[in-house]
Amino acid sequence: MTYKTQKGSSFIIALMLLVVASLLGITAMQSSIVQERMHGNLRDHQLAFEAAEAAIRDAEEYLKGIGDTSSFIGMSGLYGINIQPPDMSSTWDDNNSRVYSKAIPGVKTKPKYRIIIDSVFCGAKESLNISSYGQMKNIPDTTSFKIIARGTGGSDNSVVYLDEYYNRKVM
């Protein structure tokens, strides 16, 4: 075989295979980067959800410990029947919400919550009807509270709001 008859076709084929392999590698790398970002966002959202859930449990513990609802007058994050709380998109600060008392690992900002006296029911005189649960009669003297919690994840850009109704027998 002489060198004069070779035209360099194997070099061109090898170069084309190298380009195709490089494109496949770049595409796979971009796909894994997108998947990693999606997983990070999901983890951040789950942290925010857990923080808001912890704030709900903190509010329930607070409600178990109060004697009467007169303590709701004038305290931050606690709203009586005739006091309209700020909407959820407003700033959540120490003046209009209560701060979760413990630290949560991985969460940037401590979760906050607001407690609103939704209604007071006095025995068989009234009936309780909350969303789709239907009407209940002959209930004991009960105060219904609405708890709204706001939790953030590893960044303040991931926010979860939860709300819950909590009923407690009037003392």
Side-chain angles (χ1 to χ4, degrees):
M1 184 181 251
T2 63
Y3 290 106
K4 294 180 182 180
T5 59
Q6 293 181 358
K7 306 269 190 223
S9 62
S10 61
F11 176 70
I12 292 173
I13 291 172
L15 201 56
M16 288 176 70
L17 288 174
L18 185 63
V19 167
V20 169
S22 296
L23 288 174
L24 286 173
I26 289 170
T27 303
M29 190 170 58
Q30 286 178 340
S31 175
S32 68
I33 288 171
V34 167
Q35 287 180 2
E36 189 172 332
R37 284 183 184 162
M38 287 176 15
H39 178 72
N41 288 339
L42 178 63
R43 182 179 180 280
D44 208 23
H45 180 76
Q46 287 175 335
L47 274 173
F49 181 83
E50 289 172 10
E53 187 73 26
I56 292 257
R57 300 296 157 247
D58 196 49
E60 288 174 354
E61 289 301 315
Y62 174 79
L63 288 172
K64 286 178 186 175
I66 62 170
D68 62 6
T69 56
S70 64
S71 64
F72 273 66
I73 299 171
M75 294 186 70
S76 64
L78 306 172
Y79 300 93
I81 292 177
N82 298 323
I83 302 171
Q84 183 66 26
D87 66 6
M88 289 193 300
S89 63
S90 67
T91 304
W92 286 64
D93 57 24
D94 294 342
N95 296 326
N96 64 14
S97 57
R98 298 179 64 82
V99 180
Y100 179 68
S101 55
K102 299 172 188 152
I104 301 175
V107 173
K108 184 173 182 184
T109 305
K110 284 188 173 186
K112 296 178 171 65
Y113 60 89
R114 296 173 181 159
I115 302 174
I116 304 144
I117 297 178
D118 190 49
S119 49
V120 177
F121 301 97
C122 299
K125 299 175 201 165
E126 300 182 38
S127 59
L128 175 64
N129 189 2
I130 297 177
S131 55
S132 61
Y133 291 106
Q135 202 165 26
M136 298 181 282
K137 295 187 178 186
N138 299 324
I139 56 174
D141 294 349
T142 304
T143 303
S144 177
F145 301 93
K146 183 175 183 179
I147 304 168
I148 303 171
R150 178 186 189 271
T152 60
S155 73
D156 285 334
N157 294 330
S158 180
V159 179
V160 170
Y161 294 98
L162 294 178
D163 66 351
E164 170 185 272
Y165 284 96
Y166 180 84
N167 294 324
R168 195 188 79 167
K169 188 175 178 179
V170 175
M171 296 184 179

